[in-house]
Amino acid sequence: MAFKLASSPHLNTSAQTKSVMLKVMLCAVPGVLAQCYFFGWGAIIQLMLAIAVAMAAEAAVLTSRKRQVWPTLSDNSAALTGLLIGVAVPALAPWWITTIGAIFAIVVVKHLYGGLGNNIFNPAMSAYVMLLISFPLQMTTWVAPTGAALNDVSLLSSLQIIFQGASSQEILAYRAGFDGVSMATPLDAIKTSLSTGLTIDEALTLPSFSDGFGVGWAWINVAYLLGGLMMLKLKVIRWHISIGILGSLFVCAGVGYLLSPDTHTGPLLHLFSGATMLAAFFIATDPVTAATSPRGRLIFGALIGVLVYVIRSFGGYPDAFAFAVLLANLCAPFIDYYVKPRAYGHRSSH
């Protein structure tokens, strides 16, 4: 009987890979719907564009490598990568931002390393970091969410802005929130307020925090949390990484808030703003780039949570999950080496 060597993810059949990826995408539906509700047609367009480009890029690479296209394309891994890029990109970002990100994720991060199971970095987060560093203006221009916007963006306007471009005045009009104040993501608003000398309590009086967490963002995180719990229920993922992230982030934020409440936000705001729940359940749990043993996954998740808190609190970027995940990806082999299970009856030696 032949013993077959194969790369992660270690699933029994290729059909299971397809099923797992599909379940992840279906469980992401509540969060995606919430994001589309609060950020309008642009979020839907970016999502569809990212998935289409990711699958097209996958097909092109497979063709150039003289491999069968459909068996690999139907495993849904490219579609899931496109979905994660689509929800990470601002709703009215130019079409070429999403296109470059999806192509970079599939061609460079995934296939230049050998394809699914061989990449050492999360493709979607690698693409996000590349876009954020290369095009910071486009990647930080978010429209005001529904419920805070003075000007809702129609489907036709969204298509025109994404594919034909828009003037700075038009973008500013769609970013305007309560009383005409320009809206930013909650974490970005807090970091900007602190840099101008305001305290946390003063920052939380801004229009973007009318519900206490940042208009729309708390509901988006709750929706992704529900999707994550669905994945746990279906045993698509295990709990270790998610609990490691949320637990360490909660503890770090709690300690920081107790030590300096004027300059550090409380743990609940950290948990229900930015990309916290999306990353904790749908990104960091990628079986290819994460640690593998139960204890290793807890350490992997805890490391991400600590890195997120440090970068959010002391770094130059308001949200930090993409950077934290990539740094943890680098540490995953090291973690696996030092926490590998010990064979019964043998002493561990490193």
Side-chain angles (χ1 to χ4, degrees), residues 121-201:
F121 295 109
N122 184 288
M125 291 300 94
S126 298
Y128 178 84
V129 168
M130 183 275 293
L131 292 173
L132 184 61
I133 294 174
S134 303
F135 312 103
L137 178 61
Q138 290 83 359
M139 288 296 292
T140 55
T141 303
W142 287 84
V143 298
T146 299
L150 290 179
N151 303 282
D152 290 329
V153 192
S154 66
L155 173 59
L156 181 59
S157 297
S158 298
L159 289 169
Q160 290 176 336
I161 292 172
I162 292 171
F163 291 102
Q164 296 181 4
S167 66
S168 57
Q169 289 80 10
E170 289 177 298
I171 294 296
L172 287 174
Y174 292 125
R175 292 187 70 190
F178 297 120
D179 300 323
V181 177
S182 180
M183 297 289 289
T185 62
L187 294 171
D188 189 38
I190 288 175
K191 188 168 287 289
T192 302
S193 299
L194 291 175
S195 67
T196 59
L198 296 179
T199 65
I200 291 296
D201 288 338

Side-chain angles (χ1 to χ4, degrees), residues 272-311:
F272 291 97
S273 60
T276 301
M277 296 301 172
L278 171 64
F281 291 98
F282 293 91
I283 295 174
T285 54
D286 174 19
V288 176
T289 56
T292 54
S293 66
R295 188 166 50 143
R297 286 193 291 267
L298 275 172
I299 296 172
F300 179 83
L303 175 62
I304 292 175
V306 171
L307 288 172
V308 166
Y309 179 74
V310 170
I311 298 174

Side-chain angles (χ1 to χ4, degrees), residues 164-319:
Q164 296 181 4
S167 66
S168 57
Q169 289 80 10
E170 289 177 298
I171 294 296
L172 287 174
Y174 292 125
R175 292 187 70 190
F178 297 120
D179 300 323
V181 177
S182 180
M183 297 289 289
T185 62
L187 294 171
D188 189 38
I190 288 175
K191 188 168 287 289
T192 302
S193 299
L194 291 175
S195 67
T196 59
L198 296 179
T199 65
I200 291 296
D201 288 338
E202 290 170 336
L204 293 178
T205 63
L206 294 173
S208 54
F209 293 97
S210 62
D211 63 353
F213 289 98
V215 177
W217 289 93
W219 289 109
I220 292 172
N221 275 276
V222 168
Y224 280 119
L225 172 60
L226 292 175
L229 295 176
M230 289 168 55
M231 287 202 295
L232 290 173
K233 178 69 175 177
L234 295 172
K235 297 183 179 180
V236 176
I237 60 173
R238 297 184 181 181
W239 58 269
H240 306 80
I241 293 176
S242 302
I243 292 300
I245 291 173
L246 300 179
S248 63
L249 182 57
F250 183 89
V251 170
C252 290
V255 172
Y257 182 74
L258 289 175
L259 294 176
S260 181
D262 288 339
T263 57
H264 291 77
T265 58
L268 289 181
L269 186 59
H270 274 280
L271 293 181
F272 291 97
S273 60
T276 301
M277 296 301 172
L278 171 64
F281 291 98
F282 293 91
I283 295 174
T285 54
D286 174 19
V288 176
T289 56
T292 54
S293 66
R295 188 166 50 143
R297 286 193 291 267
L298 275 172
I299 296 172
F300 179 83
L303 175 62
I304 292 175
V306 171
L307 288 172
V308 166
Y309 179 74
V310 170
I311 298 174
R312 281 181 176 181
S313 301
F314 307 105
Y317 291 95
D319 203 356

